[in-house]
Amino acid sequence: MTGETQVQGLAIETRGLAKKFGSQTAVNGIDLMVPRGSVFGFLGPNGSGKTTSIRMLLGLSLATSGTISVLGQSMPARLHEVLPHVGALVEGPAFYPFLSGAANLRRLDTADRFAPRGTRRARVQGALERVGLSHAADKKVHAYSLGMKQRLGIANALLLPRELLVLDEPTNGLDPQGTREVRSLVHSLAAEGTTVFVSSHLLAEVEQMCTHAAVMSAGSLVAQGTLAQLRQVGESRVHLRTPDAAGALRVLTHLGLDPVLATSDAADEVVIALLGDTNWQPEAIVTALVAGGVRIRGFAIEEPSLEERFVALTGEGFDVVQ
Amino acid sequence: MSSSEFLPQTQTHTRARVGGWDLLGSEISVLFRRRRTWAMLAAVALIPTLLAVAVRLSSSTLDPGEGPPFLDRVSQNGLFVGFTAMVVAIPLFLPLTIGVVAGDTIAGEASLGTLRYLLVAPTGRVRLLLIKYAGAALFCLVATLTLTVSGALIGAALFPVGPVTLLSGDTISVTESLWRSLLVAAYVTVSLLGLSMIGLFISTLTDVPVGAMAATIVVSVVAQLLDVIPQLDWLHPWLFSHYWLGFADLLRQPLDLGSFGQNAIVQVCYVAVFGALAYSRFVTKDILS
Ligand SMILES: Nc1ncnc2c1ncn2[C@@H]1O[C@H](COP(=O)(O)OP(=O)(O)O)[C@@H](O)[C@H]1O
Ligand SMILES: [Mg+2]
């Protein structure tokens, strides 16, 4: 963490937070550090332990081991002091299907002892407006689409001004338009000073929305920091297209790189080499290749993408972690 | 927003409590806005109605003591409809409706997923249990009053109404007998409080409301079965269903409140024991629904 975030304090801090379900470890000793004022992406594939962690942060389920502090107070011991300042969407929205959207929000608002009765109607209306649901306020929730329920779930988290918002996969079930709206809502909340902790299994979403991120894989926290810090961990590399692969490998090895022959599609072969901590400028590499008699059909320095990093950390494809 | 507002950890101040017990009002309004609740109350009202209509339509008069208690008197005095209906409803039908309401308290919220939102609101877990129990207890009262009132109305509509001759042979005025009806309703409400707490406890054990409802109803049936096994007579005074039919004592002159008191003590014991069990189960429960 940077010095700056230490001055601001942490909105969420966990140490060795773990949760076991029987013999299965769902969350494996994670040390989360969410700076105040950040939009923090909690990124990980399905089943990687995001929701389980969030349940523990909110005092819904008890950690098997480890400590949690939220807004500077220990959880769940200080739950009654902490939660009034936290708005949450956990594991999808949940409502009484036989009540209207507005009635649902009023009901959940009465559950908050710190929510003033006098302003209830106005606050419910304001929250519905904020998520674009005013027109459906009096419709029964069983007639809501998944996306509308998701919006209503977000509205519930916004009934009072909060210091921290915990949003578990808030764009699930939303169309692209809805996803954009959530993104801009998160931006405007962050601009008001709310810390937003948002989980997602979609990297693109985190990249577009967040200032910080943590990556979960099979219950473990495998990386966290600002987006820039996460990108830096990946290395730039040379991507070379040439008919003279053997020569290219020789020249690049000579330069101190560690080239590999990647898949060769048609006539050309592709050589890839990580730049590592060598400080070669691209033009110097090209000059050396040309001097070595290597014909160059394509040459690029590829910057590391967060996506590669994510895939490297969490594995490719749709394997759900068992 | 300026960075000066991101003060370190001391910033989080305690918000003033303003909402009080609004959730209790909300709980009651949600309970009585459900169609299921109204359907059950309608079914409760149907019991005295069916009973009165059947007596009215049948030509044969019953011999004294034939059929359920008081049934033989219904055709002479409409005020007996309510008492008879209560006797018919207390073993199975009222426990059934209580099982549905009490079994649904926590498990219903869990299955909808609203339990997690109530708890992060935050509603204290103890407060939620108390409010849920208050809702179930209120339903007991409303159900018995529904039966009493609908019994009185249909009785007055189909039969003559006049001074009531009690089991003791004394006669009381119509007004007095209406007071006695309310006393019977109070007695039956109290009778169901223990079962309500058992239902609440069972409801904390599962996320499947139908399971909790069925289990609560089974418990009430089992208690009544145990109550008729002579070998278990040491247990009988401690069964929550033991005094369920004891409200006949309220129809004597002078008024005998003995069984009312004994019944209340048993119910208080059940409320205390199962309340403690529900508490210890629920405050540590992992909410994973
Ligand atoms: N109630 C539960 N009982 C047993 N295992 C569970 C339970 N809830 C979650 N898990 C397991 O914990 C792991 C993490 O789940 P979850 O936190 O829901 O993942 P995510 O939210 O990242 O998709 C999964 O392997 C899941 O099977
Ligand atoms: Mg999840």
Side-chain angles (χ1 to χ4, degrees):
Chain A
M1 285 290 124
T2 64
E4 186 195 21
T5 56
Q6 270 165 12
V7 171
Q8 291 175 355
L10 295 173
I12 299 174
E13 184 178 16
T14 72
R15 293 223 179 275
L17 182 62
K19 181 74 184 179
K20 284 188 179 167
F21 293 111
S23 62
Q24 188 201 356
T25 304
V27 176
N28 191 5
I30 65 174
D31 298 327
L32 261 181
M33 287 193 274
V34 179
R36 282 196 194 240
S38 64
V39 177
F40 195 100
F42 194 39
L43 188 59
N46 292 328
S48 56
K50 303 184 297 292
T51 302
T52 305
S53 305
I54 288 172
R55 284 184 198 280
M56 292 189 285
L57 294 179
L58 297 174
L60 287 172
S61 92
L62 213 58
T64 307
S65 61
T67 61
I68 304 171
S69 129
V70 175
L71 298 174
Q73 309 209 51
S74 121
M75 283 290 279
R78 308 272 296 164
L79 185 141
H80 291 284
E81 285 74 33
V82 172
L83 288 185
H85 304 278
V86 180
L89 176 73
V90 192
E91 182 93 311
F95 293 103
Y96 306 89
F98 48 89
L99 294 181
S100 72
N104 264 289
L105 292 191
R106 286 198 295 271
R107 154 88 170 161
L108 290 175
D109 194 59
T110 60
D112 182 350
R113 263 172 300 178
F114 304 91
R117 182 191 309 177
T119 57
R120 183 163 295 143
R121 270 174 196 278
R123 286 183 294 109
V124 164
Q125 209 148 32
L128 286 169
E129 233 155 73
R130 200 145 189 198
V131 299
L133 269 185
S134 308
H135 65 286
D138 298 321
K139 220 184 208 181
K140 295 248 158 63
V141 165
H142 71 72
Y144 274 32
S145 69
L146 177 57
M148 289 164 79
K149 284 183 197 160
Q150 194 77 23
R151 287 163 190 252
L152 193 61
I154 296 171
N156 174 49
L158 302 178
L159 285 171
L160 282 169
R162 311 285 190 184
E163 285 178 46
L164 171 65
L165 276 180
V166 176
L167 303 175
D168 191 10
E169 313 237 8
T171 58
N172 255 6
L174 291 181
D175 51 20
Q177 169 67 19
T179 308
R180 270 196 300 278
E181 285 171 18
V182 167
R183 207 185 306 147
S184 84
L185 185 62
V186 166
H187 281 309
S188 71
L189 290 163
E192 290 163 23
T194 308
T195 308
V196 185
F197 182 80
V198 50
S199 86
S200 176
H201 63 277
L202 298 173
L203 173 76
E205 201 171 276
V206 168
E207 264 192 301
Q208 289 170 347
M209 205 161 24
C210 301
T211 59
H212 294 65
V215 182
M216 289 287 284
S217 175
S220 298
L221 195 64
V222 288
Q224 83 177 313
T226 64
L227 287 199
Q229 284 168 340
L230 289 176
R231 283 201 190 92
Q232 274 163 18
V233 181
E235 294 177 85
S236 307
R237 63 188 185 188
V238 173
H239 186 275
L240 174 67
R241 188 174 286 277
T242 174
D244 307 319
L249 289 174
R250 183 172 38 76
V251 170
L252 291 175
T253 309
H254 189 70
L255 290 178
L257 304 180
D258 187 17
V260 291
L261 191 60
T263 48
S264 50
D265 40 12
D268 293 343
E269 288 179 297
V270 174
V271 173
I272 287 174
L274 292 178
L275 275 177
D277 37 16
T278 66
N279 287 320
W280 291 109
Q281 295 301 305
E283 57 273 23
I285 300 172
V286 173
T287 309
L289 285 168
V290 171
V294 176
R295 288 168 292 173
I296 299 174
R297 292 204 170 132
F299 180 90
I301 301 292
E302 291 183 337
E303 295 302 327
S305 79
L306 214 47
E307 174 150 19
E308 285 169 26
R309 175 95 175 110
F310 182 53
V311 170
L313 288 170
T314 63
E316 195 135 17
F318 294 98
D319 305 331
V320 172
V321 184
Q322 290 307 306
Chain B
M1 191 162 270
S2 70
S3 63
S4 67
E5 298 204 23
F6 299 119
L7 294 174
Q9 328 204 324
T10 48
Q11 185 207 9
T12 300
H13 44 275
T14 310
R15 254 186 206 159
R17 285 189 184 191
V18 286
W21 289 76
D22 285 9
L23 184 60
L24 180 59
S26 167
E27 177 64 28
I28 291 166
S29 101
V30 167
L31 178 61
F32 287 99
R33 248 195 275 182
R34 297 193 76 158
R35 236 178 267 161
R36 187 180 69 195
T37 308
W38 287 104
M40 289 193 300
L41 291 177
V44 166
L46 207 59
I47 295 174
T49 311
L50 285 179
L51 207 119
V53 169
V55 170
R56 185 90 175 98
L57 293 183
S58 73
S59 47
S60 64
T61 51
L62 289 170
D63 295 328
E66 198 181 341
F70 314 124
L71 189 60
D72 53 317
R73 303 177 186 219
V74 163
S75 56
Q76 294 133 44
N77 194 335
L79 289 172
F80 276 104
V81 172
F83 298 136
T84 316
M86 203 63 98
V87 174
V88 171
I90 187 81
L92 186 62
F93 197 78
L94 283 175
L96 204 127
T97 62
I98 304 313
V100 169
V101 171
D104 194 47
T105 46
I106 301 294
E109 300 279 358
S111 83
L112 287 176
T114 42
L115 183 56
R116 60 178 182 268
Y117 288 109
L118 290 176
L119 293 182
V120 301
T123 311
R125 296 190 181 204
V126 177
R127 198 168 75 113
L128 186 61
L129 278 181
L130 289 174
I131 285 170
K132 285 291 180 182
Y133 184 69
L138 179 68
F139 178 82
C140 296
L141 179 65
V142 171
T144 54
L145 282 179
T146 302
L147 195 147
T148 303
V149 170
S150 59
L153 293 178
I154 191 79
L158 296 187
F159 303 104
V161 169
V164 173
T165 309
L166 294 174
L167 299 174
S168 53
D170 302 271
T171 301
I172 57 172
S173 69
V174 173
T175 327
E176 170 78 15
S177 84
L178 288 177
W179 281 116
R180 296 280 174 115
S181 302
L182 289 180
L183 206 53
V184 167
Y187 184 101
V188 174
T189 302
V190 170
S191 298
L192 295 169
L193 292 181
L195 180 63
S196 299
M197 190 58 97
I198 294 173
L200 181 73
F201 167 61
I202 294 174
S203 194
T204 62
L205 301 177
T206 171
D207 295 346
V208 186
V210 183
M213 295 174 192
T216 308
I217 294 160
V218 166
V219 165
S220 91
V221 170
V222 168
Q224 293 176 79
L225 278 180
L226 295 178
D227 210 5
V228 296
I229 299 176
Q231 285 83 352
L232 294 176
D233 56 0
W234 54 270
L235 180 65
H236 293 170
W238 296 105
L239 291 169
F240 61 86
S241 59
H242 185 66
Y243 297 100
W244 275 6
L245 287 167
F247 60 82
D249 285 355
L250 300 176
L251 302 179
R252 293 182 206 286
Q253 193 75 313
L255 187 59
D256 179 3
L257 285 174
S259 52
F260 199 116
Q262 284 165 318
N263 182 29
I265 289 169
V266 172
Q267 300 304 327
V268 165
C269 291
Y270 274 88
V271 168
V273 170
F274 283 89
L277 286 174
Y279 167 84
S280 63
R281 161 69 184 161
F282 191 57
V283 289
T284 56
K285 185 181 183 179
D286 265 4
I287 308 301
L288 297 170
S289 58

